Amino acid sequence: MPPLPAPRDRSLLWSILAGGAVMSLALGIRHAQGLFLVPVTLDRGWSREAFSLAMAVQNLAWGIAQPFAGAVADRFGTHRVVAAGVLVYAAGLLVMARATEPFVFILGAGVLIGLALACTAFGVVYGAISRIAGPALRASAVAWTGALGGIGLFVLVPVTQGLQDGLGWPQALAVLAACIAVLVAGARALRDVAPTPTHAQAEAPVQQSVAAAVREAVGHQGFWLLNLGFLTCGFQLAFIASHLPAYVLDKGLQPRQAVAGLAIVGIANVIGTYACARLGGAFRRKHVLALLYLARTAAMALFVLLPLTPASLYLFCAAMGLMWLGTVPLTNGIVSGIFGLRYIGTLFGLVFLGHQLGGFAGVWLGGHVFDLYRSYDLVWLIAMGMGLLAGALHMAIDDRPLARPPAMAAA
Amino acid sequence: MTRRALLGAAARVAAWSAAAAAAWWLAWPAYASPALLSNLAVLFAFCR
C-alpha cells in the first residue's frame, strides 16, 4: 500500500481522516438507502412511488443546495458546514424512521438528507482538504480522502442489511443517525479559514467577492465545458447504477450476479478515486479526464456489443468502478487550478449542479426509453455519445490559472 | 519512465490489488446473505 502523505504536522492527517470518514458515511448511507424500500413501504403501507419520489427530491435538493453550502464553507469555514451537515443528516434519518405520512418521509429522506449531502460530501470536503494541504501534498491528500470516502459505498450495503436484520429498519436508521452524528466531533479537523492561516490564503493574496468570482467563472469557457462534462458523468453513473441490474436480469443473469457486480463497482471505486487523484497530480487533469470519459465509452461499447456473461459483467463493473468517482477530484482540481481555492466550494457547487441534472436525466430517460422500446440500447448509445463529446470538450478547456490584476480583483 | 518508477507503480498496483482481494474475501459472505439478496432482488425488480 502506498504510504500516507507525511505532513509536517499531524493536522493534515487528521483532516484527511475526518474528511474521509464524513464522506464515507454520508455517501455510504445514501448508497444503501434503497435497502429500506421494501420494509418501509410494507410497514407503512405506502406506494413505492412515494419512496422513489423522496430519492428524486434528495438528488435535486443536493444539487441545488451544493453551491450555497459551498459558499457558506468558503465564507465561514468547512468545519462549520460539516458540523451542521452531519446533524441535519442524522435528523433526516430519524425523520425517515418516525414518519407515518409520505409527505414527512419525503421531507426527511428527500429535503433534509439532500441538504445534508451538500454539507458533508465531496462538494465541500475536497475544497477543505485542498486548502489545508500545501501544493506539494495536495494531490496525495485529496487522493487519500477520496479513497477513504469511497469505503462507505462498499461497506455500508451489507452493514445496513445486517442492522435491519438484527434490529429492525427504524432502529437501523437510528443507529446510522447516531454514527453520522458522532462525526460532529471530528468536524473541527476541517477548519480551513481564518484565524488558522491556510495555503489558500497564502496562494491568493488578492481579494475578490463571491459575486465577482461567480461572474468571472460564468464568463470563462472552461467553466461551461466542465459543467457539460460533469453532466455526462452524472448521466452515465445514474443510468448504470439504476438500470444496470434490470438490464442484466433481462438478459438472463441472476440477482446474485447483479449484486456481485455492484459490489465490484464499490470496491473498484476506492482504488480508482485514489488513482485518478494521483494521476491528476502527475499529469494535466483535463487530459486525464478526457481519457477517462473516452475509456468509459469504450467500456460501455464493449459491454453492450460483446455477449453478456457473468465474467463480462464483472469486468465491466471493475472498469466502471475504477472510473466511478475519479472524475470528482479531477474536476475539483481543474476548477481550483483555474479560479483558485478561495471560492472553490461555491464554484465546484455550481459545476456539481450540472452533475445532478445529468443524474436526474439518466435515471428518468433510462426508464422512459425502456417503457417505449422495451430496450435500453438507445440510452447506452446516448451515454456513449455523451462520453465521446465530454472527452473532446475537456481537451478544449483552457485550464491556465486566471491572471487577476489587483485593481480588478478587488471589485 | 525509469525502471525505478515502473517498479514503484507495479508495487502500488500489487498492494492495492491485494487490499481489494482481502476486502472482497471479508465482505462477500455478507453481500451473499439470503436477506440482502432477496431485498436487492425486489429493488431490482422495482427498477425494471
Side-chain angles (χ1 to χ4, degrees):
Chain A
M1 192 73 63
L4 276 166
R8 291 190 187 89
D9 54 28
R10 286 176 179 271
S11 65
L12 177 58
L13 197 55
W14 282 114
S15 303
I16 292 169
L17 291 173
V22 168
M23 281 208 314
S24 193
L25 267 183
L27 295 173
I29 293 171
R30 173 181 177 268
H31 190 63
Q33 64 197 353
L35 296 176
F36 290 94
L37 172 90
V38 175
V40 167
T41 52
L42 281 179
D43 262 19
R44 300 293 191 228
W46 299 336
S47 70
R48 291 179 182 181
E49 189 186 356
F51 191 96
S52 52
L53 179 61
M55 299 302 113
V57 167
Q58 181 191 98
N59 282 320
L60 287 178
W62 183 8
I64 292 167
Q66 191 62 71
F68 299 101
V72 176
D74 293 337
R75 176 74 179 84
F76 298 105
T78 300
H79 58 300
R80 293 195 169 98
V81 172
V82 167
V86 294
L87 295 178
V88 173
Y89 209 127
L93 291 168
L94 293 176
V95 170
M96 276 176 79
R98 305 274 300 177
T100 52
E101 295 294 329
F103 171 75
V104 180
F105 185 83
I106 290 166
L107 183 72
V111 178
L112 288 181
I113 295 183
L115 290 175
L117 280 162
C119 301
T120 52
F122 36 71
V124 294
V125 170
Y126 281 150
I129 297 297
S130 298
R131 287 187 183 112
I132 293 166
L137 292 173
R138 193 165 288 150
S140 173
V142 167
W144 274 108
T145 308
L148 291 172
I151 290 173
L153 270 69
F154 178 65
V155 169
L156 273 166
V157 170
V159 166
T160 301
Q161 184 65 50
L163 288 171
Q164 278 188 26
D165 295 343
L167 305 171
W169 69 266
Q171 290 77 11
L173 284 168
V175 170
L176 292 174
C179 289
I180 198 159
V182 163
L183 291 180
V184 73
R188 197 176 170 77
L190 294 169
R191 177 189 284 268
D192 59 346
V193 294
T196 308
T198 65
H199 292 282
Q201 288 162 323
E203 290 165 28
V206 293
Q207 294 300 310
Q208 188 184 33
S209 70
V210 64
V214 172
R215 275 199 302 274
E216 182 182 66
V218 297
H220 192 282
Q221 153 256 37
F223 179 81
W224 295 107
L225 296 180
L226 280 172
N227 251 299
L228 285 171
F230 228 20
L231 187 140
T232 297
C233 178
F235 183 93
Q236 292 175 335
L237 297 197
F239 166 64
I240 291 170
S242 304
H243 296 284
L244 182 68
Y247 176 80
V248 300
L249 295 181
D250 285 342
K251 300 274 183 184
L253 295 193
Q254 300 301 309
R256 182 187 177 90
Q257 291 156 342
V259 172
L262 292 181
I264 289 170
V265 169
I267 203 162
N269 169 58
V270 176
I271 303 169
T273 306
Y274 177 85
C276 286
R278 292 307 298 255
L279 288 171
F283 302 98
R284 278 178 83 174
R285 290 186 180 90
K286 71 171 193 175
H287 293 162
V288 181
L289 262 178
L291 277 176
L292 188 149
Y293 283 114
L294 295 178
R296 274 190 185 181
T297 303
M300 284 188 278
L302 287 171
F303 178 64
V304 173
L305 291 174
L306 293 175
L308 180 63
T309 64
S312 74
L313 170 67
Y314 301 154
L315 280 174
F316 175 69
C317 289
M320 290 306 295
L322 287 172
M323 299 179 277
W324 199 253
L325 291 181
T327 54
V328 182
L330 292 169
T331 303
N332 194 284
I334 294 179
V335 174
S336 64
I338 298 173
F339 302 106
L341 284 166
R342 177 70 185 87
Y343 293 110
I344 181 64
T346 312
L347 300 180
F348 180 77
L350 288 169
V351 176
F352 184 72
L353 183 55
H355 184 280
Q356 291 306 88
L357 293 176
F360 178 82
V363 174
W364 172 77
L365 200 63
H368 184 65
V369 167
F370 186 82
D371 284 347
L372 282 179
Y373 302 109
R374 310 309 296 170
S375 159
Y376 287 111
D377 290 351
L378 180 60
V379 195
W380 282 114
L381 274 175
I382 292 171
M384 285 184 254
M386 289 174 76
L388 288 176
L389 187 65
L393 290 178
H394 279 84
M395 293 304 289
I397 292 174
D398 180 1
D399 59 352
R400 290 172 298 177
L402 280 178
R404 299 190 182 96
M408 195 182 97
Chain B
M1 214 175 193
T2 64
R3 179 185 162 85
R4 184 184 167 136
L6 274 174
L7 282 173
R12 286 178 183 214
V13 169
W16 278 107
S17 303
W24 183 266
W25 181 74
L26 285 170
W28 176 245
Y31 264 99
S33 73
L36 181 55
L37 285 177
S38 69
N39 198 345
L40 285 174
V42 176
L43 191 62
F44 295 161
F46 174 58
C47 290
R48 292 168 96 179

